[in-house]
Amino acid sequence: CTDRGSTDSAGAGDIARVDVDGTELVVEYDSETSATGLAVIAPSGEAFADRQLTPGASQETIPIGTAYPPGTYTVQLIEEESVVAAVEQSLRPDVVIREVKLGRNHPEEMYEGAGGLTVTGEAIVTVENVGTGPEKLTELHFDGDVPRPTPDDLSESGIAAVDQPVTYTEPVVNSGETRTI
């Protein structure tokens, strides 16, 4: 497994590669495989996804979204009732904070149209997902005095990722991606 959430599987029969691409699991396999199906097994041992393989194809894409249970998944090629190849793939997000700046000290980095109260009262936070699976950011809470503690009764923290000119609420941070919120 590499830092980008990909598994090369030279000894895994017909499976050539398993890779996490954004919020999808991409499985590449030998187009000459005798397998007729593909199964993805969740860490719990339950089926996560099943696909019938298209003859002559060499890739399947499985949506994983951001609500998957983290852990080690098993990707299997199936022929009739038998597993002919299997590869394990870790899907574990690990979001770390890389930098925190006060908006009032860096007003030029605030999003276009940010009002004076937003600029003086908000923070600019750079995060990176160093894990092997995507993660949706839904809350950001501060303790201490700077910029100010998040009130206990606040139901939402107003997370937004700014990719000029678009602002995204509850942004997804893919494996290996850095976002500023």
Side-chain angles (χ1 to χ4, degrees), residues 1-21:
C1 207
T2 69
D3 290 343
R4 298 282 300 151
S6 132
T7 302
D8 287 319
S9 48
D14 295 323
I15 299 175
R17 185 175 186 82
V18 177
D19 192 30
V20 178
D21 185 9

Side-chain angles (χ1 to χ4, degrees), residues 1-85:
C1 207
T2 69
D3 290 343
R4 298 282 300 151
S6 132
T7 302
D8 287 319
S9 48
D14 295 323
I15 299 175
R17 185 175 186 82
V18 177
D19 192 30
V20 178
D21 185 9
T23 57
E24 297 178 323
L25 189 65
V26 178
V27 180
E28 295 177 9
Y29 54 91
D30 184 351
S31 62
E32 301 296 319
T33 184
S34 60
T36 56
L38 180 136
V40 179
I41 309 301
S44 65
E46 296 179 18
F48 181 79
D50 290 306
R51 298 283 188 278
Q52 292 297 320
L53 299 182
T54 303
S58 62
Q59 180 175 301
E60 281 293 325
T61 302
I62 315 291
I64 56 175
T66 58
Y68 60 90
T72 301
Y73 287 70
T74 304
V75 178
Q76 302 173 332
L77 288 179
I78 310 291
E79 181 180 357
E80 296 177 21
E81 300 289 321
S82 300
V83 174
V84 294

Side-chain angles (χ1 to χ4, degrees), residues 111-112 161-168:
Y111 60 90
E112 188 175 325
V162 180
D163 294 334
Q164 298 294 348
V166 181
T167 301
Y168 300 93

Side-chain angles (χ1 to χ4, degrees), residues 132-143:
T132 57
E135 179 73 280
K136 180 170 38 170
L137 303 181
T138 59
E139 295 181 32
L140 178 64
H141 290 267
F142 289 94
D143 292 328

Side-chain angles (χ1 to χ4, degrees), residues 125-128 137 161-163 168 171-173 177-181:
V125 180
T126 301
V127 298
E128 181 181 5
L137 303 181
V162 180
D163 294 334
Y168 300 93
V172 172
V173 183
E177 184 176 42
T178 300
R179 301 285 307 254
T180 299
I181 58 176

